[in-house]
Amino acid sequence: MVHPIVKYPDPVLQRPAEPVTEFDDALRTLVDDMFESMYDAHGIGLAAPQIGVPKRLTVIDLSFQKNPEEKLALINPRLLAREGKVIEEEGCLSLPEIRERVARSARVRVRAQDVHGNWFERECEELLARACQHEIDHLDGILFIFRISALKRDFALRKIRKLQRAGEW
Ligand code: NI
């Protein structure tokens, strides 16, 4: 089922999400729904708070449905290690039309559970490293506009207010 994407400034996007404790059919349905909602919104990453579910769960598919092996569900993910720094443009389904350059670690090691509750670790670099950091930030209630300079953030917030006034947000 496709869920609508929650946009800034909804409070669910700005507080830490709760750990997932039940690895049951309801969780597997939620993961399926998240992939479906992400594809429907033309995204490559989606965190549960973005569909209004305050749980520590995120899905990523950089291939955008082209390669099933690239479908990644990270449950209760944590960054174990990070290395290097890269500044690249980023966007977010909860902040449509806002794009800014964000500094992220170049490589990260992620530890997470799969839908069955099994822990696994994954080395990520390039876009996958960026996506993991962006999505784990969502689970901590942090949007990428809070990872940029105050000046650029003010500019982005002004643009959002303008879109809101125009009824386009
Ligand atoms: Ni996002």
Side-chain angles (χ1 to χ4, degrees), residues 44-115:
I44 54 168
L46 186 73
Q50 292 183 278
I51 55 164
V53 177
K55 296 258 179 76
R56 301 191 72 83
L57 156 64
T58 174
V59 297
I60 295 171
D61 180 2
L62 301 187
S63 82
F64 196 76
Q65 287 181 291
K66 288 195 183 76
N67 180 3
E69 286 179 12
E70 287 194 38
K71 282 177 76 172
L72 187 60
L74 300 171
I75 301 169
N76 298 325
R78 264 195 314 137
L79 291 180
L80 294 183
R82 50 170 83 232
E83 197 181 81
K85 186 179 155 185
V86 189
I87 301 172
E88 292 279 358
E89 207 177 65
E90 237 172 77
C92 178
L93 293 175
S94 295
L95 293 157
E97 297 190 45
I98 307 295
R99 296 194 67 84
E100 281 295 343
R101 285 159 64 78
V102 184
R104 299 281 188 188
S105 300
R107 286 167 297 281
V108 294
R109 186 169 182 83
V110 179
R111 181 170 159 81
Q113 281 167 289
D114 64 18
V115 287

Side-chain angles (χ1 to χ4, degrees), residues 6-168:
V6 171
K7 286 182 208 166
Y8 175 87
D10 194 301
V12 74
L13 297 171
Q14 296 176 83
R15 47 178 185 238
E18 295 291 323
V20 172
T21 52
E22 303 287 331
F23 294 83
D24 53 8
D25 285 346
L27 177 68
R28 286 180 274 281
T29 302
L30 176 60
V31 169
D32 288 345
D33 283 359
M34 284 181 56
F35 275 111
E36 232 184 291
S37 306
M38 177 179 80
Y39 296 137
D40 183 70
H42 305 282
I44 54 168
L46 186 73
Q50 292 183 278
I51 55 164
V53 177
K55 296 258 179 76
R56 301 191 72 83
L57 156 64
T58 174
V59 297
I60 295 171
D61 180 2
L62 301 187
S63 82
F64 196 76
Q65 287 181 291
K66 288 195 183 76
N67 180 3
E69 286 179 12
E70 287 194 38
K71 282 177 76 172
L72 187 60
L74 300 171
I75 301 169
N76 298 325
R78 264 195 314 137
L79 291 180
L80 294 183
R82 50 170 83 232
E83 197 181 81
K85 186 179 155 185
V86 189
I87 301 172
E88 292 279 358
E89 207 177 65
E90 237 172 77
C92 178
L93 293 175
S94 295
L95 293 157
E97 297 190 45
I98 307 295
R99 296 194 67 84
E100 281 295 343
R101 285 159 64 78
V102 184
R104 299 281 188 188
S105 300
R107 286 167 297 281
V108 294
R109 186 169 182 83
V110 179
R111 181 170 159 81
Q113 281 167 289
D114 64 18
V115 287
H116 305 290
N118 300 315
W119 288 97
F120 65 96
E121 287 183 19
R122 178 97 182 241
E123 299 283 350
C124 308
E125 52 181 25
E126 299 182 349
L127 185 56
L128 185 57
R130 177 167 297 273
C132 286
Q133 292 167 85
H134 178 112
E135 299 309 330
I136 292 173
D137 263 0
H138 271 299
L139 306 182
D140 293 327
I142 301 167
L143 294 165
F144 82 85
I145 53 168
F146 296 96
R147 293 269 188 216
I148 58 180
S149 71
L151 193 72
K152 284 184 174 170
R153 179 164 51 254
D154 286 347
F155 181 77
L157 293 174
R158 271 205 301 275
K159 184 172 174 179
I160 291 167
R161 278 194 290 273
K162 200 171 154 190
L163 288 165
Q164 282 172 326
R165 277 199 301 273
E168 290 165 14

